[in-house]
């Protein structure tokens, strides 16, 4: 799996579309007036791909979703996290095929983390590719402290498991493969 860290500096004034500010870029006079009340945030993300599916894991700068269940946290993100989703998933920083993920605090004992998903169209309840990428990134970058190689991740549709085969390379943990076990599904 390939990783690329990104730091996106986002400026948004209340009610206008988001725009990117490049570090050191001067604002034009119209931008100065429309950005007087702007809130500037730095969003850090790690880009990866799983079998060709591009995934962006937001690792810093995101709001902390509130809720006692992962479904409630997802609903909170739908109501309050739309600026984040739009900033990191839509052009010019994202694209239609990109899947986003955000690690949260778990809501039940025994889980390593909660995970929420988003894409250009909204907030899907589950993405296997994003769960695999998030598990890989979390293990290799030390984002989740726990007993690798098995991570217990809570999603809005239930608990999923990511079993990773981890090797040491140059003193660093490297994930070789990840097996994803999802929630039961049925065909009628």
């Amino acid at each position: 799996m390939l990783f690329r860290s990104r730091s996106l500096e986002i400026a948004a004034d209340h009610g206008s579309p988001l725009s990117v500010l490049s570090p050191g870029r001067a604002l034009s006079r119209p931008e100065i007036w429309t950005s007087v009340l702007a809130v500037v945030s730095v969003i850090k993300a790690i880009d990866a791909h799983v079998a060709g599916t591009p995934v962006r894991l937001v690792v810093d700068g995101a709001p902390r979703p509130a809720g006692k269940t992962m479904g409630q946290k997802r609903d909170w993100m739908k109501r309050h996290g739309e600026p984040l989703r739009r900033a990191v998933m839509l052009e010019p920083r994202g694209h239609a095929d990109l899947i986003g993920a955000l690690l949260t605090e778990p809501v039940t004992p025994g889980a390593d983390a909660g995970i929420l998903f988003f894409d250009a169209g909204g907030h899907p309840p589950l993405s296997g590719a994003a769960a695999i990428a998030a598990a890989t990134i979390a293990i290799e970058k030390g984002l989740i402290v726990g007993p690798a190689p098995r991570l217990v991740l809570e999603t809005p549709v239930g608990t999923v498991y990511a079993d990773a085969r981890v090797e040491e390379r140059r003193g660093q943990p490297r994930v070789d493969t990840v097996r994803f076990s999802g929630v039961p599904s049925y065909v009628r």
Side-chain angles (χ1 to χ4, degrees):
M1 179 172 297
L2 300 175
F3 300 124
R4 183 168 46 119
S5 293
R6 296 180 59 128
S7 182
L8 307 171
E9 192 168 311
I10 308 299
D13 64 32
H14 305 285
S16 74
L18 293 172
S19 60
V20 173
L21 292 178
S22 300
R25 180 173 83 82
L27 294 174
S28 68
R29 184 165 292 297
E31 288 176 307
I32 291 171
W33 291 110
T34 59
S35 298
V36 169
L37 298 175
V39 176
V40 177
S41 299
V42 175
I43 300 167
K44 293 184 181 177
I46 299 173
D47 287 353
H49 67 85
V50 175
T53 301
V55 177
R56 179 167 290 159
L57 178 66
V58 175
V59 295
D60 194 20
R64 293 179 64 189
K68 294 182 181 179
T69 68
M70 291 307 296
Q72 289 175 350
K73 288 184 178 195
R74 178 179 175 231
D75 291 341
W76 188 94
M77 284 299 288
K78 285 180 178 179
R79 287 189 313 278
H80 305 287
E82 210 38 26
L84 170 74
R85 183 192 70 80
R86 294 178 60 81
V88 300
M89 301 312 296
L90 301 180
E91 298 216 11
R93 294 162 295 280
H95 54 84
D97 298 324
L98 184 62
I99 300 169
L102 174 67
L103 294 173
T104 71
E105 294 83 12
V107 295
T108 59
D112 294 302
I115 184 169
L116 297 172
F117 308 98
F118 41 91
D119 59 23
H123 299 267
L126 180 64
S127 168
I132 290 169
T136 302
I137 294 166
I139 291 169
E140 291 190 358
K141 301 293 185 182
L143 302 178
I144 295 177
V145 178
R150 178 170 208 150
L151 293 179
V152 179
L153 303 173
E154 295 179 311
T155 74
V157 297
T159 303
V160 298
Y161 303 91
D163 294 299
R165 188 169 78 193
V166 181
E167 300 173 349
E168 288 286 326
R169 292 189 198 150
R170 297 182 194 163
Q172 298 295 320
R174 298 290 298 176
V175 175
D176 182 54
T177 58
V178 175
R179 184 180 63 194
F180 168 77
S181 302
V183 296
S185 58
Y186 304 94
V187 175
R188 290 185 178 202

